[in-house]
Amino acid sequence: MNDFESKGFFGKKTFLLSALFGVDRCLRCGFVSANLLPLCQKCVLELQNYVPLDSERRCKKCGKILVSEQGLCMECREREGESSLDALFPLHSYRQWKKELAFAWKSEGQRRLSPLFGRLLFKALRELGLEKLPLVPVPPRPGKIKERGWDQVDDLAQYLRKKRGIKVLDDILVRKSGGQQKKLGRDERLGAAGAVYDLRPEFRALAGLGEGVVLLDDIVTTGATMEKCAWLLKAAGAQKVYGLALFRVD
């Protein structure tokens, strides 16, 4: 039995609880959801079934699923040598029910999804052999935690620190602007990210980051935020910077 499996998700007791207490339904298939999650047990298990992160079916640089290319996707071929990221590993494409799941987590505040996503990320770190490297979460916009009470990337980082023993360096990067970048293109995001993210002044005086770090974000759109943060971490002394994300917009 793995991390996602547990007794009691199916059967008469589950349906009885659903009838008596209005247990949520799975947003993917409509079946009774598991442990108050917006997914049933079957779909929770399906969330594990991403294309292996080191598969030849993925771009070696950005992690996209390749269609007819080999090694690198066309976009990475055009930008070869420009990236500060040594590799980016997104687990899933940001589509269909997975997009709805991310929306329920981020926008509807279904914070109970954080441990589920945290377990997925730990599985990915072990799959890649990166679980010994320190984790650097992409920082939230100023005031977000005070305004909302939590930040999704911080939730993931805290789960990995407390439950899985991953070293988390959450005092290195800072986001200086409260503006959002959702509607910007890649080039615009790269310019904006340069003004938004920076190293904390007190960190600049410290020694480097050793052999490498894993940069953590929830959703990668153009990769501009990851690129800027990776550049900063390498400037601070990291020899390698790997990006890890739950979803990638493609």
Side-chain angles (χ1 to χ4, degrees), residues 47-228:
L47 202 61
Q48 292 184 88
N49 294 328
Y50 52 81
V51 175
L53 298 173
D54 58 355
S55 170
E56 292 182 357
R57 293 174 55 197
R58 287 183 180 265
C59 174
K60 293 180 179 178
K61 195 70 176 179
C62 72
K64 287 182 180 178
I65 305 300
L66 299 176
V67 179
S68 59
E69 310 98 326
Q70 292 185 347
L72 297 174
C73 67
M74 294 304 297
E75 187 175 348
C76 288
R77 288 176 190 272
E78 293 174 0
R79 293 194 170 98
E80 194 167 6
E82 298 178 8
S83 176
S84 295
L85 275 174
D86 290 278
L88 175 59
F89 302 106
L91 273 61
H92 291 284
S93 294
Y94 188 61
R95 297 179 183 177
Q96 300 173 338
W97 66 275
K98 294 167 186 175
K99 184 176 181 179
E100 293 181 47
L101 188 66
F103 181 84
W105 179 48
K106 294 184 61 171
S107 300
E108 296 180 347
Q110 297 200 33
R111 196 172 179 177
R112 57 187 178 270
L113 283 164
S114 295
L116 170 62
F117 289 146
R119 291 195 293 272
L120 278 172
L121 291 170
F122 181 70
K123 174 179 178 287
L125 288 169
R126 294 188 66 181
E127 176 185 334
L128 295 165
L130 299 178
E131 72 272 20
K132 301 299 183 183
L133 294 183
L135 195 72
V136 178
V138 171
R141 59 179 171 81
K144 179 179 178 181
I145 293 180
K146 183 177 180 180
E147 174 188 322
R148 290 195 169 190
W150 71 296
D151 171 65
Q152 60 273 8
V153 179
D154 179 67
D155 254 24
L156 298 174
Q158 295 311 316
Y159 172 86
L160 291 167
R161 187 204 319 252
K162 295 175 182 177
K163 300 296 185 181
R164 302 295 179 172
I166 301 293
K167 183 177 181 181
V168 176
L169 305 175
D170 53 8
D171 57 352
I172 294 178
L173 297 175
V174 61
R175 183 170 173 174
K176 299 181 293 186
S177 168
Q180 296 189 7
Q181 304 182 70
K182 294 179 181 179
K183 297 183 179 180
L184 301 181
R186 177 182 170 82
D187 292 339
E188 292 173 309
R189 278 178 173 247
L190 281 169
V196 169
Y197 296 96
D198 204 351
L199 294 169
R200 291 187 184 275
E202 61 269 27
F203 182 77
R204 295 191 180 115
L206 299 179
L209 296 172
E211 63 184 35
V213 296
V214 178
L215 187 60
L216 176 66
D217 209 350
D218 55 349
I219 300 172
V220 174
T221 303
T222 63
T225 293
M226 284 274 192
E227 285 288 349
K228 175 60 180 179

